[in-house]
């Protein structure tokens, strides 16, 4: 047995104790434990690794932007030890063959554990996607997405999905309400993709809440929070919708779907998050190459990287006293794991030993050039964050002192 000692986040609070690890799992948590290898982190924090239920690592097909190796390395350095990867690849991951091909291709290449979404297009047979971890639907067009627009398609899908018990994550913007026009700014982008498109999509999905498990991706406006309150739907908020808004001078670097909205939206989603009212933190890490973003606003693709900076920036909000640690751990670790059926997201007996060690004194400034995504930029340049010093993936140290010391041991999670 190996032992990790430090200030653990255990049973809802920080306490000085030891974690016993065997075969990659946590086998005991006690005040004192003796083991073969003993890692003593003193008064530093030992937290569960984050689980990001929404990333786009671009494999196969767009490896000029990112690939699974760089995307997962970026996750690892950000303290994210498990990701769920989206299906809007080239070709899209929407049937048994494309899913198997993607799964085979990723084997042995990831730094963190991962699960794969199966994308749903109008003709998709849900039974052909039995090897996916969860399902994804786009109700509104976005980057390389396959769309579901018709009510009867949605109704058919809901019947088939309910039998699987798996979650359906939805990009909730009603396609019919999106306008095509010349766009030159973030405000134009917001106008093209109005908040009503998100609200209508959520209203539509609420009618399915008793039929299947639905998760709303990246909630972007305050009215959505009101609609979702008290419903059976789970939802995600992204760091960018909580820290950036359309009044900021970001140009196409801030172009994303759903759009960045007003300062009041941003502040309200962040405040709800800090009160524990947002179930999950998800980065929607969607890297694009700098030359694509520099093409001019209208031409630039939507999406921004974030898997390395999300958890780490929110840890800084904890240090600043804005966000309770237990709220962050719940939204970034525990709830994503519980929602998507992963044996992760908490320090507890039986869970995978995925942990990060944080020294609250070691605040760092974010620099795009220091991050590990292939895209090489970040919309959060110069902001501060608390990056992990040490990261354990299933009981093995993979990052120590901020450098890689272990092997790529990420694997596809059991379904
Ligand atoms: O801005 C976005 N980018 N929204 C999406 O829904 C897709 C994503 C991407 O894959 O680039
Ligand atoms: Zn989306
Ligand atoms: Zn996305």
């Amino acid at each position: 047995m190996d032992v990790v000692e430090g200030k653990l986040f255990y049973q809802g609070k920080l306490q000085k104790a030891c974690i016993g690890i065997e075969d990659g799992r946590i086998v005991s948590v006690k005040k004192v434990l003796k083991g073969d290898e003993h890692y003593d982190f003193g008064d530093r924090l030992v937290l569960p690794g984050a689980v990001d239920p929404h990333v786009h690592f671009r494999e196969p097909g767009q490896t000029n932007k990112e690939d699974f190796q760089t995307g997962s390395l970026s996750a690892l350095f950000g303290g994210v030890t498990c990701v769920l990867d989206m299906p809007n690849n080239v070709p899209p991951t929407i049937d048994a063959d494309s899913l198997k091909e993607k799964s085979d291709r990723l084997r042995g290449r990831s730094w963190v554990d991962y699960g794969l979404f199966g994308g749903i297009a109008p003709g998709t047979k849900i039974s052909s996607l039995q090897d996916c971890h969860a399902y994804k639907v786009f109700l509104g067009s976005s980057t390389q997405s396959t769309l579901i627009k018709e009510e009867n398609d949605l109704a058919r899908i809901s019947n088939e999905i309910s039998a699987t018990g798996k979650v359906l994550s939805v990009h909730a913007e009603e396609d019919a309400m999106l306008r095509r026009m010349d766009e030159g700014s973030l405000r134009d982008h917001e106008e093209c993709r109005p908040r009503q498109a998100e609200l209508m999509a959520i209203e539509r999905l609420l009618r399915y809440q008793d039929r299947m498990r639905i998760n709303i991706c990246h909630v972007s406006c305050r009215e959505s929070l009101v609609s979702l309150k008290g419903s059976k739907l789970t939802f995600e908020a992204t760091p960018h919708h909580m820290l950036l808004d359309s009044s900021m001078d970001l140009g196409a670097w801030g172009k994303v779907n759903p759009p960045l909205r007003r300062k009041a939206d941003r502040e309200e989603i962040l405040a709800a998050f800090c009160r524990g009212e947002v179930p999950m933190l998800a980065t929607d890490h969607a890297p694009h190459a700098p030359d694509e973003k520099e093409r001019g606003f209208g031409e630039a693709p939507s999406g921004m990287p974030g898997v390395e900076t999300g958890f780490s920036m929110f840890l800084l909000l904890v240090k600043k006293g804005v966000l309770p640690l237990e709220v962050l751990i719940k939204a970034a670790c525990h709830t994503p794991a519980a929602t998507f059926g992963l044996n992760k997201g908490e320090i507890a007996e039986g869970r995978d030993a995925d942990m990060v060690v944080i020294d609250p004194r070691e605040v760092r400034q974010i620099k795009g050039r220091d991050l590990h995504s292939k895209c090489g930029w970040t919309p959060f340049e110069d902001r501060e964050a608390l990056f992990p010093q040490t990261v354990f993936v299933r009981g093995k140290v993979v990052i120590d002192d901020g450098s890689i010391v272990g092997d790529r041991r990420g694997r596809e999670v059991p379904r």
Side-chain angles (χ1 to χ4, degrees):
M1 183 174 76
D2 290 346
V3 173
V4 171
E5 180 169 1
K7 228 164 144 185
L8 316 183
F9 187 82
Y10 179 57
Q11 294 183 331
K13 56 179 190 293
L14 287 172
Q15 39 194 310
K16 196 88 170 63
C18 297
I19 304 173
I21 301 166
E22 254 170 26
D23 297 327
R25 292 250 169 107
I26 297 171
V27 291
S28 86
V29 183
K30 292 217 168 75
K31 282 279 165 231
V32 182
L33 280 172
K34 296 242 169 314
D36 305 318
E37 190 87 49
H38 193 104
Y39 303 91
D40 188 356
F41 293 105
D43 66 349
R44 281 177 280 168
L45 314 185
V46 180
L47 310 176
V51 175
D52 190 339
H54 189 152
V55 301
H56 300 262
F57 283 172
R58 307 299 190 203
E59 249 200 272
Q62 292 181 308
T63 51
N64 64 312
K65 299 173 196 273
E66 189 80 284
D67 60 44
F68 227 86
Q69 167 357 76
T70 53
S72 64
L73 189 63
S74 192
L76 185 73
F77 273 96
V80 175
T81 46
C82 184
V83 297
L84 296 180
D85 189 57
M86 286 296 169
N88 57 331
N89 303 116
V90 184
T93 314
I94 51 173
D95 55 29
D97 286 350
S98 50
L99 195 60
K100 178 165 190 315
E101 223 161 279
K102 179 168 174 178
S103 169
D104 286 347
R105 177 186 177 106
L106 303 185
R107 197 163 302 125
R109 306 233 339 276
S110 182
W111 288 94
V112 302
D113 286 353
Y114 56 94
L116 304 181
F117 277 95
I120 301 179
T124 302
K125 280 221 170 0
I126 300 302
S127 58
S128 76
L129 286 173
Q130 59 186 12
D131 288 339
C132 72
H133 199 82
Y135 303 100
K136 172 70 183 279
V137 151
F138 287 86
L139 292 182
S141 327
S142 195
T143 323
Q144 299 290 350
S145 59
T146 48
L147 269 193
I148 292 287
K149 292 196 251 189
E150 305 303 329
E151 199 59 39
N152 51 4
D153 283 326
L154 195 57
R156 172 186 68 85
I157 291 164
S158 73
N159 289 331
E160 293 181 32
I161 287 186
S162 78
T164 70
K166 290 180 193 172
V167 176
L168 174 68
S169 278
V170 185
H171 181 113
E173 289 183 286
E174 279 293 334
D175 202 63
M177 298 178 71
L178 306 182
R179 291 177 219 133
R180 328 270 161 207
M181 65 169 207
D182 276 348
E183 300 178 32
S185 68
L186 292 177
R187 283 283 158 89
D188 290 350
H189 193 56
E190 234 193 312
E191 219 176 292
C192 286
R193 307 182 74 104
R195 64 181 64 224
Q196 288 80 5
E198 180 169 303
L199 294 172
M200 287 283 288
I202 291 174
E203 289 305 319
R204 188 169 167 200
L205 292 160
L206 281 169
R207 299 202 292 273
Y208 289 90
Q209 63 176 326
D210 293 316
R211 286 212 235 164
M212 55 179 167
R213 297 174 63 203
I214 299 173
N215 175 47
I216 306 289
C217 299
H218 43 48
V219 159
S220 73
C221 52
R222 49 190 177 159
E223 295 88 340
S224 298
L225 299 176
V226 179
S227 299
L228 288 163
K229 204 167 193 155
S231 78
K232 290 187 182 165
L233 276 48
T234 56
F235 61 97
E236 306 164 355
T238 66
H240 51 271
H241 288 112
M242 293 189 273
L243 300 173
L244 306 175
D245 65 63
S246 61
S247 73
M248 295 175 176
D249 189 20
L250 292 161
W253 305 99
K255 186 179 178 187
V256 64
N257 300 331
L260 298 179
R261 302 208 185 271
R262 303 300 161 115
K263 183 163 176 262
D265 292 294
R266 162 170 73 81
E267 288 176 345
E268 221 161 293
I269 300 171
L270 180 59
F273 187 90
C274 293
R275 290 193 301 268
E277 295 167 11
V278 173
M280 290 183 269
L281 181 70
T283 66
D284 195 7
H285 175 82
H288 293 289
D291 63 304
E292 299 170 303
K293 282 292 200 184
E294 281 162 353
R295 271 178 205 158
F297 197 95
E299 297 293 303
S302 292
M304 53 178 85
V307 73
E308 191 163 346
T309 47
F311 188 45
S312 46
M313 282 191 299
F314 275 66
L315 281 166
L316 191 75
L317 295 183
V318 172
K319 172 173 165 135
K320 285 185 171 165
V322 180
L323 169 63
L325 179 63
E326 61 274 20
V327 170
L328 176 61
I329 298 297
K330 204 165 175 212
C333 313
H334 185 70
T335 305
T339 303
F340 288 94
L342 303 160
N343 189 34
K344 297 179 176 294
E346 60 179 344
I347 293 174
E349 271 178 39
R351 297 293 181 216
D352 286 350
D354 297 339
M355 284 105 50
V356 298
V357 180
I358 304 289
D359 186 340
R361 292 161 292 235
E362 295 280 306
V363 176
R364 260 179 47 205
Q365 221 180 13
I366 296 171
K367 296 283 178 194
R369 60 165 188 271
D370 297 337
L371 301 177
H372 299 80
S373 165
K374 198 183 275 188
C375 76
W377 63 278
T378 168
F380 302 107
E381 189 76 17
D382 293 338
R383 290 192 186 225
E384 289 184 326
L386 277 171
F387 290 99
Q389 293 186 324
T390 303
V391 181
F392 288 82
V393 174
R394 275 179 284 103
K396 296 279 181 245
V397 180
V398 186
I399 289 181
D400 196 26
D401 248 339
S403 310
I404 299 170
V405 296
D407 301 324
R408 258 191 280 183
R409 52 195 325 269
R411 62 183 189 204
E412 199 171 337
V413 288
R415 291 174 291 268

